[in-house]
Amino acid sequence: MAPPRVVPALTRRAFGRGLATTGTVLAMPWVLGRRAYGEAKPGGQLTVALYKDLRTLNPIMGIFGNEWRATCNLYNNLTRLTAKGGVEGDLAESYAPSANGASWTFTLRQGVKFHDGSALTAADVVATIEKILDPATAAPYKAELGPIAAVKAVDGRTVRFDLASPYADLPKALASATARIVSERGIADFAKLDSAPHGTGPFILKEFAPNDHVLMERNPNYFRTGRPYLDRLLLRVLPDTTAQVAALENREVDAIGDVEADSFARLSAIKGVDAAQVVGGTFNNLVLYANQPPFDDERVRMALRLAMDREQMTAAITGGLGTPADDEPISAAYEYFDKTLALRKQDLAKARELLKQAGHGNGFEHRLVVSNSPASREKTAVVVQAMAAQIGIQFKIELMDNARYGATIWNKGVASYVGNYGTRPTEDAILSKLYSAKYGIDEGRWAGTEAGKRVEALIEQGRAVTDSAARRKIYDEIQRITSDDGPFIIPNFFNSLYASWTYVHEWPALAINTEMRLEESWLSPEAPGRKA
Amino acid sequence: MALALLPRRIFYGLVSLAILSVIIFVCTHLLPGDAATAILGEGATPAALAALRARLGLDQPAPLQFAHWLGGVLTGDFGVSTTLNQPAGPIIAERFLNSMALALVTIFCAAAIAIPLGVVAAVRRGSRLDGTILTASYVGISIPDFVLGPVLILLFAVPPLALFPSSGFVAFAASPAGWIAHLVLPVAALTVVLTAHLMRQTRSGMLDVLNSDYVRTARLKGLPERLVLWRHALRNALGTTLAVLALDLGYLMGSIVIIEEIFAYPGLGRLIVYAVANRDIPLVEDVALVIGTVYVAANLVADIAHAMLDPRLARP
């Protein structure tokens, strides 16, 4: 077998292609637009537009990006992700694994106070984590915290996590949106947590109208002295993109926290608006069930892969606001992204040959169900359909309401569909979710195949090893196998898109676009939010 | 006396609402998916779904859930929204007032524009003015509100004009001027469609009356034309217009779903879209009941008003 061809990452990811005219391109997630603005000036109100649902402020039960964008300003986690994709302590001052990797110990900062004035203690952390792990809670993202067997308060400010199996990523996993630290009183009053937060965060809730707005005020007792700079933070849900762009242009809002790809060009054209994009890890995966015909035959899956022109597809699906992908979920936004993996080139002759060998010389028809939300799913389906038609695979697309899709199609094993996943804090979170039958959902019913078993074993190894070089080797191999044999078509990753007026400084443009922490952000004197 | 109609009309209204609530309940249960699948999203596992259904009471038999909801509503308790986990009553009350403000201001504007135009068009039937008004109304009826909304935003909310806020809402108590400014564009969008409709109804109602025997009689006995129009024709023609206006209130309750979404206006329309998409059945039921009640009440008012204008209808 020929060794994989090494293509420089920039070529592979086609940075800048078609992007030059559409705003600032932040090629690397950690190269943020840190210009010299001078001293940060406290005060003022920042108003941020958000696009879709914001039902609850309960971090444990939230599933929508906007809910996380709100809660990261009301709460803190034990740890937080850095702009470089690493992790650092947030409420935890320090943390370390035990020698055998069977547990992790976190030491809490001193002097942290909840909004109700009570001090943060280990008991609050224990109450929060136990509530998430309790099956009766039905926390949607419980599995992504990792193999936590028990959590104990060693003393007032020391918490120990006992693991069912070694887990190197625990500090990063604890930075995920679901694991915001809620006070014991908040956990005891769980039913009210949807609208009555019990956090330590930089802002205190003032007003919450579900799916309409969240108004917060500066927390004067925040443990990071001098932060936040803003006096008030208002999040407004604007469900129509025309209205959203108009609101920004009018300075009725100062920033948009989750720009839709269709609005990006219009936003970039507004003078004085910083439209920024960061390489993200959000993707749509077209699911090919590996345990049922016709995609149980790996030649058919490979034929489909070879029919894809990924650069062209990325341009069509993202409008140039994304990077091509190789049917696996690890993007350049992740620490262990394999830069050396060459992007698969379209090869229609080989694809047809493989189909013929598999007994589908005349092609075949296949049902593909697509949810109407987010809209990018339909684009992905239509573009894959066009590519597949070239080798005689005819996808019959069926558009469906999202709630119905969720209840009857998603992960039900009944038909191919287009899934949609956001960027996760760790490689393991998304790999386990997609490929592991033990920790996740084995979405492509692929874990039973030989390659699938190998990946499952590698996922297990990746969790246990702490050495960075060893982990890189493991995740490189997973990316190679899943890209060659896996049960998905993933043509591209979507960039995380932001827009803000230049008078907004230190806007948190991160790869994970749901961690919209605004404690470092501040406003220039010309900001409308300073005049009112 | 018009009021003699009232008890029977109210009774029919209540029966309609009871039937409506059963239909809505059955329909929402026929839809695949429930609040648990909506809340858990891609985090749904069989165990988590079962646990959440138990917590939300979704594991109870459907008739029992319905009886529970109905019992609550009859005692003034609108239940708890399953996905927002908050009492539905206060949420709906606030949204109801917002939507009613939008609807009533629209009705008022539409009537103020449409009725005079309709009368003029009928009186000057066949004239160039009539033709212009008719054409304009065709255009108004033809533009869907999901097009009109964004067009109004692009024309009037962004520079260079930037006359009004693009979207959102300010409470009247917080700032009356802000409240009005935020109402202008959504009201304008709703008014355009409604005016066209109402104007055409007024015109044809007026034409019928102008061709009737009693108007001819009134003219023949030498009454001034102004008196003929105002006292004899308009009073009779308005009956139809009022009935249409009441029906239009129901139509508006449908249109606000789209307009409220476009203008991020926190009313019942946005609430019911959310509730249906998330299978929040108590909320769907409550909002449907409120909208149904508005519709029934509007028709009731129209019937009574019509009866007052036309005493023949008041006879039992």
Side-chain angles (χ1 to χ4, degrees):
Chain A
M1 200 183 94
R5 197 162 62 86
V6 180
V7 178
L10 278 177
T11 314
R12 179 186 174 197
R13 299 307 184 184
F15 283 137
R17 189 162 303 164
L19 295 181
T21 52
T22 52
T24 329
V25 183
L26 302 175
M28 301 294 164
W30 51 91
V31 187
L32 296 181
R34 297 204 179 270
R35 287 180 232 147
Y37 294 121
E39 262 324 86
K41 293 177 185 59
Q45 171 174 315
L46 177 70
T47 305
V48 181
L50 302 172
Y51 177 52
K52 276 269 164 98
D53 294 333
L54 206 175
R55 312 167 306 176
T56 176
L57 297 177
N58 178 340
I60 296 174
M61 296 309 289
I63 61 165
F64 292 117
N66 286 340
E67 293 162 358
W68 300 337
R69 289 181 182 100
T71 58
C72 68
N73 290 295
L74 295 163
Y75 290 90
N76 293 95
N77 292 48
L78 281 180
T79 54
R80 61 178 185 179
L81 299 172
T82 64
K84 291 183 183 179
V87 62
E88 63 185 18
D90 194 5
L91 290 178
E93 192 175 77
S94 63
Y95 47 88
S98 65
N100 60 3
S103 69
W104 278 86
T105 304
F106 288 75
T107 307
L108 303 181
R109 272 174 201 274
Q110 277 176 311
V112 178
K113 285 201 162 45
F114 284 101
H115 296 166
D116 63 6
S118 60
L120 167 79
T121 69
D124 298 304
V125 178
V126 171
T128 303
I129 304 296
E130 283 184 341
K131 188 70 183 177
I132 299 173
L133 297 180
D134 181 359
T137 308
Y141 287 91
K142 178 178 96 166
E144 298 192 15
L145 289 193
I148 301 170
V151 53
K152 299 252 156 51
V154 179
D155 59 39
R157 53 182 292 236
T158 314
V159 187
R160 195 181 72 232
F161 289 80
D162 293 329
L163 304 174
S165 52
Y167 190 49
D169 274 336
L170 187 70
K172 264 194 183 176
L174 288 173
S176 69
T178 204
R180 315 230 188 271
I181 301 304
V182 184
S183 76
E184 265 187 300
R185 289 147 319 276
I187 294 295
D189 206 2
F190 195 69
K192 294 231 178 75
L193 211 50
D194 292 274
S195 51
H198 286 262
T200 54
F203 294 93
I204 299 174
L205 182 70
K206 189 78 184 150
E207 224 176 83
F208 172 45
N211 292 326
D212 189 65
H213 71 271
V214 188
L215 178 64
M216 306 178 207
E217 275 183 353
R218 181 173 194 274
N219 174 4
N221 301 315
Y222 191 49
F223 66 87
R224 288 194 180 91
T225 319
R227 305 290 188 283
Y229 292 114
L230 302 165
D231 284 340
R232 276 180 312 280
L233 173 59
L234 174 64
L235 310 180
R236 286 179 57 189
V237 178
L238 300 180
D240 184 80
T241 49
T242 309
Q244 204 185 49
V245 175
L248 187 78
E249 194 166 6
N250 267 352
R251 305 188 189 208
E252 291 167 56
V253 303
D254 307 305
I256 301 178
D258 54 341
V259 173
E260 286 292 290
D262 295 339
S263 317
F264 194 76
R266 272 185 289 155
L267 290 167
S268 315
I270 303 173
K271 203 165 164 266
V273 167
D274 239 350
Q277 44 177 327
V278 180
V279 173
T282 300
F283 61 87
N284 292 337
N285 60 331
L286 195 147
V287 177
L288 313 167
Y289 283 122
N291 67 341
Q292 46 187 265
F295 294 110
D296 55 345
D297 188 328
E298 61 182 62
R299 290 171 298 187
V300 182
R301 296 202 299 274
M302 182 52 89
L304 193 57
R305 287 183 211 301
L306 286 168
M308 305 290 133
D309 179 336
R310 287 151 205 282
E311 308 229 343
Q312 207 185 329
M313 293 171 85
T314 304
I317 295 168
T318 70
L321 306 169
T323 53
D326 239 340
D327 305 325
E328 53 86 18
I330 305 300
S331 77
Y334 289 90
E335 189 176 354
Y336 295 112
F337 163 66
D338 183 359
K339 294 196 258 295
T340 65
L341 195 65
L343 190 68
R344 195 180 308 283
K345 288 266 173 271
Q346 188 184 46
D347 188 341
L348 296 175
K350 197 167 159 198
R352 288 193 191 99
E353 178 58 34
L354 278 172
L355 266 193
K356 208 164 149 193
Q357 281 172 26
H360 295 293
N362 296 321
F364 58 86
E365 282 192 356
H366 192 72
R367 180 178 178 222
L368 174 58
V369 181
V370 185
S371 156
N372 61 352
S373 170
S376 72
R377 296 204 219 222
E378 196 185 346
K379 278 191 193 168
T380 300
V382 169
V383 171
V384 170
Q385 180 189 47
M387 292 285 162
Q390 300 175 96
I391 58 167
I393 298 179
Q394 307 291 347
F395 281 108
K396 296 284 162 213
I397 294 178
E398 205 176 300
L399 200 62
M400 197 178 271
D401 158 64
N402 194 42
R404 185 175 174 201
Y405 155 84
T408 61
I409 301 293
W410 176 76
N411 197 29
K412 297 289 183 292
V414 294
S416 283
Y417 59 87
V418 179
N420 174 260
Y421 290 91
T423 321
R424 298 298 204 270
T426 66
E427 291 80 0
D428 179 62
I430 191 64
L431 292 172
S432 294
K433 175 96 190 179
L434 294 180
Y435 298 112
S436 168
K438 186 173 163 192
Y439 302 118
I441 58 175
D442 180 20
E443 193 170 20
R445 308 297 185 263
W446 180 66
T449 67
E450 204 147 307
K453 281 181 193 149
R454 173 73 186 145
V455 165
E456 184 133 42
L458 285 167
I459 287 174
E460 197 83 56
Q461 284 178 32
R463 293 180 149 217
V465 177
T466 45
D467 175 62
S468 179
R471 297 191 85 193
R472 179 165 294 284
K473 236 181 109 190
I474 291 166
Y475 287 123
D476 280 358
E477 189 178 348
I478 292 179
Q479 286 169 69
R480 216 191 59 229
I481 299 175
T482 50
S483 151
D484 282 345
D485 196 296
F488 309 121
I489 295 291
I490 303 175
N492 66 277
F493 296 104
F494 295 90
N495 290 347
S496 298
L497 308 176
Y498 305 91
S500 55
W501 281 97
T502 42
Y503 57 73
V504 179
H505 303 293
E506 299 298 327
W507 176 266
L510 299 172
I512 299 185
N513 65 0
T514 51
E515 289 298 294
M516 190 181 79
R517 287 194 305 260
L518 294 163
E519 60 182 84
E520 299 291 338
S521 305
W522 57 278
L523 299 167
S524 296
E526 73 267 28
R530 280 186 171 277
K531 284 163 192 155
Chain B
M1 174 59 198
L3 290 178
L5 282 170
L6 210 52
R8 204 169 42 166
R9 292 288 178 168
I10 290 178
F11 174 73
Y12 288 148
L14 290 177
V15 171
S16 317
L17 290 177
I19 296 172
L20 173 76
S21 65
V22 175
I23 292 174
I24 298 279
F25 189 80
V26 171
C27 287
T28 42
H29 268 86
L30 288 177
L31 288 172
D34 61 12
T37 55
I39 289 172
L40 291 176
E42 62 173 42
T45 60
L49 281 172
L52 192 58
R53 282 188 181 125
R55 208 172 79 206
L56 299 175
L58 300 175
D59 52 348
Q60 293 173 14
L64 202 68
Q65 290 181 42
F66 182 67
H68 184 77
W69 172 81
L70 190 63
V73 167
L74 291 177
T75 57
D77 173 8
F78 280 76
V80 173
S81 151
T82 40
T83 59
L84 301 175
N85 205 6
Q86 291 183 32
I91 301 178
I92 292 173
E94 196 191 325
R95 302 287 187 118
F96 171 73
L97 291 178
N98 293 347
S99 284
M100 283 315 285
L102 192 57
L104 291 177
V105 174
T106 302
I107 291 271
F108 178 80
C109 293
I113 298 169
I115 294 176
L117 282 182
V119 171
V120 169
V123 173
R124 304 250 184 109
R125 186 185 178 188
S127 70
R128 189 173 291 174
L129 183 66
D130 181 29
T132 311
I133 293 175
L134 271 184
T135 313
S137 80
Y138 272 121
V139 174
I141 284 181
S142 314
I143 303 177
D145 29 21
F146 61 85
V147 174
L148 194 57
V151 166
L152 287 178
I153 291 176
L154 292 174
L155 284 179
F156 298 109
V158 297
L161 286 181
L163 294 173
F164 306 105
S166 58
S167 59
F169 171 78
V170 170
F172 185 79
S175 154
W179 180 77
I180 292 172
H182 282 86
L183 271 179
V184 173
L185 290 184
V187 164
L190 289 169
T191 302
V192 167
V193 181
L194 203 60
T195 300
H197 186 217
L198 202 59
M199 203 281 300
R200 296 177 63 78
Q201 290 296 336
T202 309
R203 179 181 178 275
S204 60
M206 195 69 184
L207 279 178
D208 282 349
V209 174
L210 287 177
N211 291 329
S212 65
D213 292 342
Y214 61 83
V215 167
R216 200 169 57 229
T217 312
R219 278 182 178 144
L220 285 176
K221 75 181 179 185
L223 279 181
E225 185 65 13
R226 204 161 50 90
L227 220 55
V228 172
L229 286 179
W230 283 105
R231 185 175 296 166
H232 294 268
L234 188 59
R235 181 176 161 147
N236 285 290
L238 267 187
T240 338
T241 308
L242 273 178
V244 171
L245 208 55
L247 286 174
D248 278 343
L249 191 64
Y251 168 82
L252 262 185
M253 287 288 156
S255 273
I256 57 171
V257 169
I258 294 158
I259 290 298
E260 287 183 353
E261 191 78 2
I262 292 171
F263 290 96
Y265 188 89
L268 285 180
R270 252 175 102 194
L271 192 61
I272 201 166
V273 168
Y274 164 79
V276 173
N278 287 280
R279 303 290 187 265
D280 194 328
I281 292 177
L283 210 51
V284 174
E285 279 278 10
D286 291 341
V287 178
L289 194 68
V290 170
I291 293 180
T293 307
V294 170
Y295 197 80
V296 167
N299 277 293
L300 196 65
V301 170
D303 282 349
I304 293 166
H306 200 169
M308 283 174 162
L309 288 167
D310 186 349
R312 284 172 301 175
L313 291 173
R315 278 180 225 131

